[in-house]
Amino acid sequence: MTTNLSKADGAEGAGGAAEGAVIAVDPRLLVRQQGFKGYLDEFRRKMRSGELGSLPVIVGLIIIGLVFQLQDSAFLGAENLSNLFVTAAGTGLIAVGIVFVLILGEIDLSVGSVSGLAAAVFAVLNINNGMPEWAALILALLTGTVAGVLHGFFFARIGVPAFVVTLAGLLGWNGLMLQILGSNGTINLDDSGLVAQLTNYYFTDVAAAYGLATVAVLAFLGLSLLDSRRREAAGVPSRPLSETVLRTVVLAVPAYLVAWLLNQYKGLPLAVVIFLGVVVALDFVLRRTTYGRQVFALGGSVEAARRAGINVAFVRISVFSLAGTMAAVGGMFLASQINAANQSSGAGSLLMNAIAAAVIGGTSLFGGRGKTWSALLGVLVIQSIASGMALLGIASAVQYMITGAVLLAAVVIDSVSRRTQVACGECPPAHPLPSVRRVRAGGGGGKEAWCAPPHEVTLALRRRRTPGHLRVARKARQGSVRTPATAAG
């Protein structure tokens, strides 16, 4: 999606458009006028240009499910899938925080140690010192937040590379966890306590699972219709009703199928409800708020974001604090699974699985691209591989090798996708804004225009400041900004 900053032959008033402006029309809106053939052509265009989205992950999940189901019919059974979803929640919540850090183009190696430290803080305060669970839980989560703020401060204010800061955190927070746990090394949690119920409580009423599926489907339909109405009111193209209904049906089928499967076992797990709630909430923050656009802007180009008036240090510190908080939340779920905090909390393959989940799900290691849903899809892939191999009795060593191969494949796809987009002119890396390009309308003889993602132009205009590399070039004193492509948002 692009926004054109066009060279103009003349300028109108403040509210008018310049003469000769090039108007960009998003191909995703044009294909809707061509029916099924248009959508097929658009799909082919995306494949050629490397815009794969979540397709490789979804295809991979389907293949994994089919392979393990053919080997053991219990893989897609209600009990195994329910346990798979519950087990994936802890790592998935940590991966959600990692998504934000990766969008910045950075890395956080401390999330495993922070999760273990939070679990240890909770256990010591609640079990050893008798503090109420709710108070101990709040302090444990704040422990993760403070750790993240410290990482962000040293990175954003002092200038220490994020890799080094979080590597120090990995070692330091792990040592602090061991110190807090003491010589005993293990503190068992209350079986009926709040944290223990995070992964052990189920809504046994069948209406709960079906109700959640219904709420999700109706919310999607309602938001889609509201979005279409707003677009029509603004005079920009919108999705036809038939496409909205089709998308809703595509969502409803797996939603109700999963609800039916969960009801065949113990019902709807509380862990699944919380995990999905966090993913949806942070997805809204990432894609629908100014703060989320600022995060993407930093991932695209720090210098462009700074010139647009974004408080770079604040965004960086807040992202690392969010990652620390989500690590603490995930640590609570992981402690709930074993009903204890011990010296191995946050250790092992947790860190690698959390980062791998974000990357496998589609978040770019190069920054500027990702969704919170990437964490959900990626952790399902990793946990499906682990669950399937456990059913088949395959050694964990093989599991590590296969997970590593899947991670490598995801990074290769991401790298090839970016190179393909560059070859197609989607995001030349040589420009200060990676996604800015010069194009000509109507072929080689058309007018030239600067094209950039809408959020970069919007941020610049909102601050009443246009970055130098977004200014219309030398001959025209004033250009026009046309943003019809933003309607495809």
Side-chain angles (χ1 to χ4, degrees):
M1 186 188 310
T2 59
T3 300
N4 283 353
L5 297 180
S6 170
K7 291 182 178 179
D9 297 330
E12 298 181 3
E19 246 180 73
V22 182
I23 301 178
V25 181
D26 195 320
R28 293 178 296 181
L29 300 177
L30 289 176
V31 296
R32 291 165 188 158
Q33 303 172 4
Q34 305 172 11
F36 176 76
K37 181 179 181 299
Y39 284 101
L40 184 60
D41 292 341
E42 175 67 1
F43 176 77
R44 291 172 178 169
R45 183 192 69 81
K46 288 185 176 181
M47 293 299 101
R48 288 195 300 269
S49 63
E51 300 176 40
L52 302 177
S54 300
L55 181 61
V57 191
I58 295 174
V59 172
L61 272 174
I62 294 174
I63 293 175
I64 290 171
L66 290 176
V67 169
F68 284 122
Q69 179 66 15
L70 291 176
Q71 298 295 321
D72 191 327
S73 59
F75 180 77
L76 294 179
E79 180 179 358
N80 187 63
L81 287 182
S82 180
N83 292 334
L84 188 154
F85 294 149
V86 172
T87 305
T91 305
L93 287 166
I94 299 175
V96 171
I98 290 291
V99 167
F100 278 77
V101 177
L102 290 179
I103 291 175
L104 284 183
E106 303 299 337
I107 192 68
D108 190 342
L109 301 178
S110 68
V111 289
S113 296
V114 171
S115 69
L117 174 63
V121 169
F122 173 82
V124 169
L125 292 178
N126 176 237
I127 303 301
N128 291 0
N129 298 325
M131 180 179 289
E133 271 197 302
W134 63 269
L137 180 60
I138 292 175
L139 290 177
L141 298 183
L142 287 177
T143 300
T145 304
V146 171
V149 169
L150 287 175
H151 298 154
F153 173 80
F154 281 103
F155 168 55
R157 294 294 187 186
I158 308 300
V160 183
F163 178 88
V164 176
V165 172
T166 56
L167 179 60
L170 181 152
L171 301 173
W173 302 131
N174 185 65
L176 182 58
M177 178 195 71
L178 297 177
Q179 181 68 30
I180 290 175
L181 289 175
S183 57
N184 187 26
T186 300
I187 301 177
N188 295 322
L189 304 180
D190 182 7
D191 293 341
S192 59
L194 176 63
V195 170
Q197 295 302 308
L198 289 176
T199 57
N200 293 299
Y201 183 82
Y202 292 79
F203 298 96
T204 55
D205 191 338
V206 294
Y210 290 124
L212 180 61
T214 303
V215 168
V217 171
L218 292 180
F220 178 83
L221 177 61
L223 291 174
S224 299
L225 294 176
L226 178 62
D227 184 61
S228 296
R229 179 178 298 181
R230 292 173 59 188
R231 294 178 189 276
E232 292 171 0
V236 296
S238 61
R239 289 192 180 99
L241 180 61
S242 58
E243 181 182 344
T244 300
V245 172
L246 178 60
R247 286 169 174 262
T248 305
V249 172
V250 171
L251 172 66
V253 171
Y256 282 105
L257 178 60
V258 171
W260 177 78
L261 282 172
L262 292 176
N263 282 330
Q264 302 305 304
Y265 184 50
K266 294 182 178 180
L268 177 64
L270 175 62
V272 172
V273 176
I274 297 176
F275 184 25
L276 290 178
V278 170
V279 169
V280 171
L282 292 183
D283 177 69
F284 177 84
V285 170
L286 196 57
R287 298 195 302 117
R288 300 292 183 180
T289 65
T290 302
Y291 173 78
R293 293 182 181 275
Q294 290 175 347
V295 174
F296 278 111
L298 260 67
S301 171
V302 176
E303 182 59 27
R306 181 179 289 110
R307 293 190 182 188
I310 297 175
N311 189 336
V312 174
F314 168 77
V315 174
R316 284 175 164 175
I317 293 173
S318 63
V319 166
F320 276 92
S321 68
L322 176 63
T325 303
M326 293 310 303
V329 174
M332 295 297 101
F333 279 77
L334 295 172
S336 175
Q337 291 177 16
I338 61 176
N339 203 29
N342 56 36
Q343 294 178 342
S344 63
S345 296
S349 60
L350 175 61
L351 171 62
M352 293 299 103
N353 283 342
I355 296 176
V359 175
I360 291 172
T363 302
S364 176
L365 278 171
F366 304 99
R369 188 172 73 236
K371 299 178 181 178
T372 57
W373 296 100
S374 302
L376 174 63
L377 293 173
V379 78
L380 286 179
V381 169
I382 293 175
Q383 198 56 45
S384 295
I385 294 173
S387 176
M389 291 189 172
L391 286 175
L392 299 179
I394 299 176
S396 59
V398 179
Q399 175 187 332
Y400 290 147
M401 289 187 285
I402 293 180
T403 303
V406 172
L407 174 60
L408 177 61
V411 177
V412 168
I413 291 174
D414 182 34
S415 300
V416 172
S417 172
R418 289 178 62 86
R419 292 177 60 184
T420 305
Q421 290 178 18
V422 170
C424 292
E426 289 296 327
C427 78
H431 200 279
L433 279 175
S435 48
V436 174
R437 71 184 191 278
R438 177 179 282 176
V439 299
R440 290 183 180 271
K447 294 182 179 293
E448 290 185 346
W450 289 109
C451 297
H455 70 267
E456 293 175 353
V457 178
T458 301
L459 287 168
L461 296 177
R462 186 171 296 166
R463 300 286 191 259
R464 300 290 194 271
R465 191 185 309 169
T466 304
H469 46 268
L470 278 180
R471 289 176 187 159
V472 179
R474 298 166 286 197
K475 295 183 181 179
R477 299 267 179 145
Q478 181 179 4
S480 65
V481 179
R482 293 292 187 91
T483 59
T486 58

